[in-house]
Amino acid sequence: MTKRVSEKKETKASIEKKSIANELKNNGSNNSLLSKEEFVKALRLMILARSIDNKAMNLLKQGKSFFHIAGSGHEGVQVAIGMQINPQVDWLFPYYRDMALSLSVGMTPTDFFLACFAKASDPACGGRQLPCHWGMKRTSNFPTQSSPTGTQFLQAVGTALASVRNGIKNISYVSSGEGTTSQGEFHEAVNWASREKLPVLFHIQNNKYAISVPVWQQSGGEGNSIAEMMKGYGNLLRLKIDGTDFIQSYQAAKEAIDYIKNGNGPVLIESDVVRLLSHSSSDDQKKYRVDSEIQDDIKRDPIKKLSEKLISENILTMEEIEELKNSVADEIDKSVDYAFAQASPEASTADKYVFDESGLSKTFDYEKSEPTGKSIVMVDAINHALHEELEENPKIYIFGEDIADGKGGVFTATKGLSTKFGRERVFNSPLAEASIMGVATGMALAGLRPVVEIQFGDYIWPAFMQMKDELATFRYRSNNEWFTPLVTRVAVGGYIHGGLYHSQNIESIFAHVPGIYIAYPSNAADAKGLLKTAMRLNDPVLFCEHKGLYRQSYAMSPEPDNEYLIPFGKAKIVKEGKDLTVVSYGASMWDSVFAAKKLADEGYSIEVIDLRTIIPLDEETIFNSVKKTNKVVIIHEDTLTGGFGAEIAARISDSCFQYLDAPIKRIAAKDAHIPYAPVLEYAVLPSREVIYQGIKDLLKY
């Protein structure tokens, strides 16, 4: 029985079950639920999905594929919803069991088997992902899906927010099993969508098992219900339905979509479905489920139920249904034969599309003028860059914690922006870093250019899953069909007596994530030029801002004009020299400059290189300098072990070993957390004296 719960009315009403015969009396009129042809289409889609499941498992046993995850038992509600969704208008973020839904919105059996056999022409990913990671090319709003459970919810919210900001009337569909609702990002997504009345259709397909863990060990909702668990959201319509009943599911989906499109807010449908096969081809549910339970599920088979209904209502005969099955079998056999014969990906393409390869960045006019404006501090240069790009590009949206006026950010980097550009474009986010990143990723998929602020690098880790597994992978995993131009500004670094949780450097960890550029400016002009470039690129950028340099006098510089751009991957020789090379960035670069000046008084000539960007790394400038000076010290504020300096040292060793007259030296923080007391902080972080002495020791080698 469908249950509708309204928090405002505190009532439960049911959607009346109508006979198919009654629905067909006015065939073709506005009063009919579905025509006979549409019921036949629905049944065929359900049979098609089931048959693909069976075929895929047989192919796996034959050694022709490697993995499959079935949706058998979920087909009824998926087709009911899919038939009412337009992938050219609505956004889709399904999960791995949504085979029938994907077929309903345009995926073909051939598409599936191209993925099954990991062929180059697989439209979802070109053979880069496991099968059952649905997606279609950018002609539809169906981005290629990923494996982590629950990350898609926030992206759906992001696309819905983009639709609202752009004045587009559509919905964002997102689904998962009941187990995934244990993830915090699911709750964050429902909170954001409900608070802002966003057009999101949350579909929870409750088959009672998250692999082997039953729902009663997952959900704290009344009766282990997900819909009951989500009580309290005033704008959220919650429907609990029998997802094995196609008619009831179709009616519920229609009500949900009408509710959303009338601007009332999001809807959560909890579908009571059955899992007729094991979790995946790597699982055996007989190890943890009793046979009687499995047999009870088989009795609720949605295909069986709809077929019997159509026959009892004299809509179809058994013979016609058999003809449908035969037609499906023929289509699948042809699709398998065609897909299997297609070409596999070329090995030479394995590392393509980690970043944009369109050549866009080469079209920018870099450093076309010298900064000649009034000397400003770094935080103001960042503020001005944001202001200018907001004015230049209406697709840019800025949000994060406390970034709107009157606060204007904890370091005032966004001061005045919401006043000038309005709370639609510059706004406060919930206090949830994963939400910030996931929603921004969705907005980027929808064609906007979000710039988000994470207050401190120490608190970016709740967003790490979104950044590493989602944001960074979209271009690669979709074979260049989808991309996410998103800038993440984050305050990093110590020397401010911030203690363990306001002093961290994060660049070395993110440098290990393919698909994210990393900028780390050391002065006002570079900060402005790099940030403006970041906001124009078609790739994600992590923009590290050392808070100890925000208002530091020696990090001031004349302000560049509003067209001043600095290329990523171009280091700067801050001080020329011939006796030794220092490679550094951020606050440590300045300490290196001061040490070099002191050593100059002692007769030494030190060359200091400011990397400016970590990814991409300017190897050419580094190698040329090392070949000239024959000695090199790499200095950074992050810990010694695993710090990015180790990567630089390894590359120098590979390419410049024959030019070295001394070992490559690294100066960095101790392998410890950063304490609060100044005397302890200075003992952990690389001090000016330590840097000076370290350089001098290598000079004497």
Side-chain angles (χ1 to χ4, degrees), residues 402-421:
D402 298 301
I403 64 98
D405 294 327
K407 185 72 174 175
V410 294
F411 298 103
T412 69
T414 55
K415 181 181 178 181
L417 297 181
S418 65
T419 299
K420 172 74 180 291
F421 296 98

Side-chain angles (χ1 to χ4, degrees), residues 364-394:
F364 298 159
D365 194 355
Y366 294 111
E367 299 175 293
K368 64 180 182 180
S369 63
E370 285 291 326
T372 57
K374 180 182 177 182
S375 187
I376 59 171
V377 295
M378 196 166 87
V379 71
D380 286 347
I382 290 167
N383 178 272
H384 295 177
L386 295 171
H387 181 105
E388 290 168 7
E389 293 301 300
L390 276 165
E391 206 160 49
E392 176 72 19
N393 189 348

Side-chain angles (χ1 to χ4, degrees), residues 46-99:
M46 292 163 66
I47 294 171
L48 185 61
R50 179 71 57 84
S51 300
I52 290 175
D53 272 347
N54 295 334
K55 189 70 171 182
M57 295 300 287
N58 289 335
L59 291 168
L60 192 142
K61 292 174 184 176
Q62 296 168 18
K64 294 181 178 179
S65 66
F66 309 106
F67 179 80
H68 183 66
I69 191 160
S72 293
H74 292 230
E75 298 96 341
V77 67
Q78 288 181 13
V79 171
I81 295 175
M83 289 176 66
Q84 300 181 69
I85 285 178
N86 181 349
Q88 277 72 47
V89 177
D90 300 322
W91 285 92
L92 292 104
F93 294 88
Y95 86 129
Y96 44 75
R97 293 202 199 283
D98 270 303
M99 165 88 75

Side-chain angles (χ1 to χ4, degrees), residues 117 267 318 322 440 454 519 593 683:
F117 298 133
V267 176
M318 180 65 76
E322 286 303 313
I454 303 294
V593 168

Side-chain angles (χ1 to χ4, degrees), residues 2 4 14-20 23 31-34 39 76-77 80-81 84 237 239 241-242 245-259 269:
T2 300
R4 173 177 179 172
S14 64
I15 297 177
E16 179 187 0
K17 286 188 177 180
K18 302 176 182 179
S19 74
I20 298 178
E23 292 299 341
N31 296 323
S32 62
L33 179 67
L34 287 170
F39 276 116
V77 67
I81 295 175
Q84 300 181 69
L237 173 63
L239 302 175
I241 66 172
D242 180 357
D245 184 326
F246 171 78
I247 299 172
Q248 184 184 145
S249 298
Y250 193 94
Q251 290 173 307
K254 185 178 187 304
E255 179 183 3
I257 292 171
D258 288 344
Y259 180 91
I269 297 177

Side-chain angles (χ1 to χ4, degrees), residues 569 571 573 609 617-627 656:
I573 299 177
I609 297 174
L617 179 66
D618 183 356
E619 291 182 337
E620 183 180 1
T621 296
I622 296 170
F623 295 167
N624 287 341
S625 180
V626 171
K627 291 174 184 178
C656 303

